[in-house]
Amino acid sequence: MFISPMLLETAAAPFSDSRYIYEPKVDGHRLIYTQEGGTVRLYTRHHNDCTRQYPEIATNLFPHDVVLDGEIAVYDPQTGVVDFESVMSRFQARRPDKITQLSAQLPVTFVVFDILRYKGEDLRQLPLMQRKEILAGLSLPNAHFGIVPYVEKAGEALFTQMQARSLEGMVGKRTDSTYVSRRSAAWLKVINWSYADVWLTGYRKAEFGWLASVQAENSAKVRPAGIIEHGASPTHKKAFYGVVKPLITGEDRDFVYVEPRIRARVKMRNWTRAGMLRSPVFTEFIV
């Protein structure tokens, strides 16, 4: 049974409130685990079946039928930090031999933070803390399952710890929240953004997108670093397109390229191993 997941809204800043508990935000991908009649199915938040990608999760059973909500994570053995690119490598694997190989090289952990059904009973109308109590009593099938820890009241202190370890951020959840299959202000995320200054070196011809570049190492030239698709307001876009025409150097089917003369600041999740901005969001022009 697939249950559409409860989604997070965004808090403006870290906060502490006795009505909430606070969890580390896991930098993986959302997973709904369903076990019915001895059959396990794994689904992404968009109802895509990904059962075969994670045999270390799908081939181990709980004593009773259950539906769980959590994140698939791959932990770096050296740092203990979730490696999102490794998560994507596991998710994108399709060939059985590749899945077997990656299961040994990049083992996943299903990090559970909620229980939605148990022993045939729908638990979604129970308050969060009662669901947490039931979840804590589960016997996990193997070491590839874990439960997200949480703290009470001390949201700002937890976020400071996340920043110190360069982790993704935190989630605040109301202790009395029921589980609803939509975005809800009862669950709030605070992202630990990183920031970078970039040159805008082109733009898409069709939908919005600015090409971002950064200074190449040991060179006066710039190199591509990604595409900015979010954050720019209509005013920012108008300002950019109002001055960019004299800077055009060429174009192809999809992009117009410009001299690196316009500078901007972006916030992002982190840098990829290939030196690209991960999920960059425009914040301001640098003048």
Side-chain angles (χ1 to χ4, degrees), residues 10-85:
T10 302
F15 64 99
S16 296
D17 187 316
S18 61
R19 297 171 297 174
Y20 288 77
I21 60 168
Y22 301 92
E23 301 170 346
K25 193 172 188 308
V26 179
D27 192 14
H29 85 72
R30 194 75 171 265
L31 189 84
I32 301 296
Y33 174 105
T34 73
Q35 179 182 315
E36 292 183 281
T39 299
V40 173
R41 287 288 180 268
L42 310 179
Y43 298 100
T44 70
R45 59 177 279 192
H46 298 297
H47 200 183
N48 295 314
D49 191 312
C50 56
T51 308
R52 65 174 180 166
Q53 280 99 308
Y54 307 118
E56 59 265 67
I57 304 300
T59 57
N60 292 274
L61 298 177
F62 287 87
H64 306 282
D65 286 357
V66 67
V67 178
L68 302 170
D69 188 4
E71 294 269 335
I72 284 288
V74 176
Y75 288 94
D76 185 315
Q78 303 299 321
T79 64
V81 174
V82 176
D83 184 343
F84 184 76
E85 291 181 67

Side-chain angles (χ1 to χ4, degrees), residues 8-15 170 172 185 187-191 193 267:
L8 307 163
E9 291 199 359
T10 302
F15 64 99
M170 76 168 196
W187 288 14
L188 297 170
K189 62 183 175 183
V190 185
I191 301 298
W193 295 104
K267 62 182 182 179

Side-chain angles (χ1 to χ4, degrees), residues 267-281:
K267 62 182 182 179
M268 59 177 175
R269 296 297 181 98
N270 50 42
W271 293 96
T272 71
R273 284 194 289 269
M276 304 296 282
L277 305 159
R278 181 178 161 211
S279 305
V281 177

